[in-house]
Amino acid sequence: RGLNASFLCSQACTCVTDLPGKMEEADHGSPADELSASFDAAPEYVQPTLSECDIASAPRLESQRMSQWFTCVCVYQFDIERGQSLEAIYPPSVSLPEPTIKALGYLSFPDSNTGGAVHDHEFSIRLPHGVKRRFYYGSVFFRQTLDPCSRRGYQQKSVVVLSEHAFVNLYSRLARELADAYFTSGIMGIAAACQDIATWPPPTPGTSLRLSLLDRTFEMTVPFARDARLTRCPSLESVTIPSIPLAAAIPPPQAADMPSGHALSIMDVLRPVLMNIQVLWELMLFGEPVVVSSPTPAVCSSAVLAMTGLIAPLHYHGDFRPYFTIYDVEFPEYKANAAVPATILGVTNPYFNTALSHWPHIVRIGQQSRPRSRRSESGVSSSKLGSTSPTIMRHKQGLVTAAKPLLKDDHSFVRELLADDKGDRTASEQKFRRHMERLTQMMMVPLEQYAMRLMPLRRAISVLEPVPMIEDFNAKSFIVGLQASLPGLNRQREGNWPQVYSRFLKSVNFIGWWGARRLAANAELAKIYLEVVVEADLPGLLDARAIAPDVLATRVRDCLARAQRASILTPALQADAQAQLDILVARIGTAPPTSPLRAGTSSLRAPASPPRAPAS
């Protein structure tokens, strides 16, 4: 069968291959216009026989295995008289809070429902849930078909795949397959597909997986955390921006290195604002609030996700809503508050032009076009049936902002890229991504070098001392030391680099980066401490009463837990550290009570000072 596949974009880097057609979705990080891909014919799928009783009694183990990949699949029906309603949810054991069900219903209906009486919409959503500000990622497949029994004359339903993972590329494809199964066989079609998903192994970062779904097989590489890659930039000389003309030797990026999980081109989706790409990069880097105004949810959701990928491999830590409606519970806050948060909103309703007019940056992107249409049962194309859509947002594409770039624009690079794009668009996309990635890495080099100087030396780590921790980040100290890096930075890209760093250090992206960097550094120090413990002569130290066994045992346990959470503990080191821990535990029962002198080290020291607050 032929599938018209439109892939959205995400922050997770996945690579999906459809084996029957050997079609690979190059996993990049952000979306653009829709991509149509044709797949070869696949064997006819035989629907398993399932009863409603089988669905109601779905094994709990199956639900637990599916929960490793996604939370649930929801089916919503939209009626002019009854409004939205949750028609089905699978697995049936999943219970979503009522506010989440209501919010999801609003988000799964396209505000600008255009394209005639028979058509489909596919787009991405993101919504908060829980008290700890966690987020669901959703892939929506909306279908409108003719229905003479309905007051409107047509039926509207959405199939939504909901997950806490940001595998938007995979879930967009999954939503399409599950929607096809549902509209063919009802909820039993979804149940049959979920039985396949229950056999999938866990999505462990760094692993390459073959995933079977109905009559399809996918290959996926589960991504690592994006910020972890920044630590591999030893100096400014190792990060070079390609000169003009473009160097042909730029190697194509590997799937596992891509910043997010979307097959669509950042270049294509942001083409109307490519000449302002330097300003957009800085807006994303500083976590500035941006409204993305588009005619359809597919366009605005792709554009929002594309923009968050501009600063890859740095992770975007601000809030972003690929598709946002006036029914969102946070809309009144965004409308009323003059202090705009670090958020990117994708909207289609023209009312936002007035309601969010105080937001400082607006990206208007996408031209009105009919979504993918299908033929009705009578054989008449939906384009001949006329449109029943509400007012369509019409606007001139571009970036509306008072912001000026702090770094010099590279318009010549963009012009050459657009000229090359007339040929091999894939190669142009790779060059564009590599160019933006190197710009981000170049900016992060001084920060990484400063962070390395905050780490204690290995030779200073001793079992007689507490477990070392990375020092606090001092913004003033960093800015003073930045002067030595300015010549190298200006050779790569001229501009006001001190102001770039000053604004970045006040942004949510810096808070998120430093938080992740500090956790990773302290986990590495915990691993080094365990290595020192393994190399130490513990029986000799304990016999000499240089340190109390209970104190050292507590430190070893804490280091083991910290290194295990970071997944950096090798089996050999874990076994050796556990052997040393067993020695300490055996000595605890026979050791004399811990004295203040022996609790920490063999020398008298002043009491430990309270934890320091982060430096300004």
Side-chain angles (χ1 to χ4, degrees), residues 14 16 21 45 58 101 164 211 261 272 302 307 313 318 355 367 373 405 444-445 454 476 484 508 549 605:
T14 56
V16 180
Y45 176 68
I101 293 176
E164 290 191 352
L211 309 175
S302 296
M307 290 168 58
Q367 296 178 338
S373 62
M444 294 301 298
V445 166
L454 300 179
K476 293 182 179 179
V508 294
R605 294 177 299 147

Side-chain angles (χ1 to χ4, degrees), residues 268-281:
D268 283 345
V269 73
L270 298 181
R271 185 178 297 271
V273 291
L274 275 184
M275 297 308 294
N276 303 110
I277 201 65
Q278 181 61 44
V279 178
L280 277 179
W281 179 83

Side-chain angles (χ1 to χ4, degrees), residues 145-211:
T145 57
L146 291 174
D147 183 5
C149 298
S150 172
R151 180 178 171 184
R152 278 181 173 172
Y154 47 83
Q155 183 183 78
Q156 299 169 321
K157 288 188 177 184
S158 286
V159 176
V160 186
V161 176
L162 202 63
S163 175
E164 290 191 352
H165 295 299
F167 303 152
V168 181
N169 180 30
L170 175 67
Y171 294 143
S172 296
R173 180 65 184 277
L174 186 60
R176 194 175 313 116
E177 296 289 344
L178 292 176
D180 183 60
Y182 173 77
F183 290 117
T184 301
S185 306
I187 190 62
M188 291 186 291
I190 292 179
C194 288
Q195 286 184 340
D196 287 344
I197 297 172
T199 66
W200 292 1
T204 305
T207 57
S208 296
L209 305 175
R210 290 173 61 89
L211 309 175

Side-chain angles (χ1 to χ4, degrees), residues 296-592:
T296 65
V299 175
C300 73
S301 64
S302 296
V304 168
L305 295 168
M307 290 168 58
T308 63
L310 284 178
I311 60 174
L314 183 67
H315 188 77
Y316 178 80
H317 289 276
D319 192 4
F320 61 96
R321 309 296 176 87
Y323 176 53
F324 189 80
T325 73
I326 60 174
Y327 302 106
D328 194 286
V329 294
E330 292 173 294
F331 171 63
E333 177 185 346
Y334 291 155
K335 178 183 176 182
N337 289 356
V340 184
T343 306
I344 312 174
L345 298 181
V347 302
T348 61
N349 193 323
Y351 176 67
F352 285 107
N353 292 337
T354 302
L356 302 181
S357 59
H358 60 290
W359 282 49
H361 317 290
I362 300 175
V363 175
R364 293 172 177 164
I365 198 165
Q367 296 178 338
Q368 180 60 45
S369 61
R370 297 188 184 279
R372 180 164 60 92
S373 62
R374 304 177 299 106
R375 288 189 172 272
S376 66
E377 290 80 352
S378 62
V380 180
S381 173
S382 64
S383 60
K384 298 180 181 179
L385 295 172
S387 175
T388 57
S389 64
T391 303
I392 296 172
M393 180 183 293
R394 302 185 185 279
H395 53 224
K396 182 179 179 180
Q397 299 186 88
L399 172 63
V400 181
T401 180
K404 302 297 181 183
L406 296 176
L407 301 181
K408 184 179 179 181
D409 278 311
D410 201 349
H411 288 159
S412 57
F413 167 77
V414 175
R415 281 192 288 267
E416 177 163 347
L417 205 59
L418 293 175
D420 291 348
D421 189 42
K422 297 177 181 178
D424 187 352
R425 300 184 70 172
T426 302
S428 297
E429 173 69 13
Q430 291 176 350
K431 292 175 183 178
F432 174 77
R433 290 177 178 277
R434 187 58 55 90
H435 179 86
M436 303 307 297
E437 181 174 310
R438 287 173 176 171
L439 177 60
T440 301
Q441 287 180 323
M442 177 177 64
M443 190 278 300
M444 294 301 298
V445 166
L447 290 160
E448 287 290 343
Q449 291 175 336
Y450 179 78
M452 292 300 295
R453 291 195 292 270
L454 300 179
M455 294 279 284
L457 298 175
R458 181 187 176 94
R459 62 173 178 267
I461 299 176
S462 169
V463 295
L464 302 180
E465 298 290 339
V467 181
M469 307 284 279
I470 190 171
E471 295 181 23
D472 292 332
F473 193 103
N474 188 297
K476 293 182 179 179
S477 173
F478 169 77
I479 294 297
V480 171
L482 180 65
Q483 302 303 315
S485 300
L486 290 180
L489 290 168
N490 282 306
R491 279 196 302 269
Q492 302 285 358
R493 179 72 68 89
E494 294 181 0
N496 189 349
W497 283 102
Q499 185 64 17
V500 169
Y501 286 105
S502 178
R503 293 189 61 182
F504 176 70
L505 293 179
K506 300 174 184 177
S507 72
V508 294
N509 288 324
F510 168 75
I511 295 173
W513 167 78
W514 176 242
R517 189 70 176 84
R518 181 173 52 194
L519 285 175
N522 288 334
E524 183 64 28
L525 290 172
K527 178 184 176 183
I528 295 175
Y529 190 84
L530 291 176
E531 293 172 350
V532 173
V533 169
V534 168
E535 297 168 359
D537 177 19
L538 289 191
L541 292 174
L542 296 175
D543 291 341
R545 296 187 180 181
I547 188 171
D550 56 337
V551 172
L552 186 55
T554 300
R555 294 175 185 171
V556 172
R557 289 193 186 98
D558 291 343
C559 288
L560 281 170
R562 196 182 306 166
Q564 286 173 337
R565 284 194 299 269
S567 301
I568 60 173
L569 193 60
T570 63
L573 178 58
Q574 182 174 3
D576 292 341
Q578 185 62 47
Q580 296 288 67
L581 180 59
D582 293 340
I583 294 176
L584 294 170
V585 172
R587 290 292 192 101
I588 290 176
T590 60

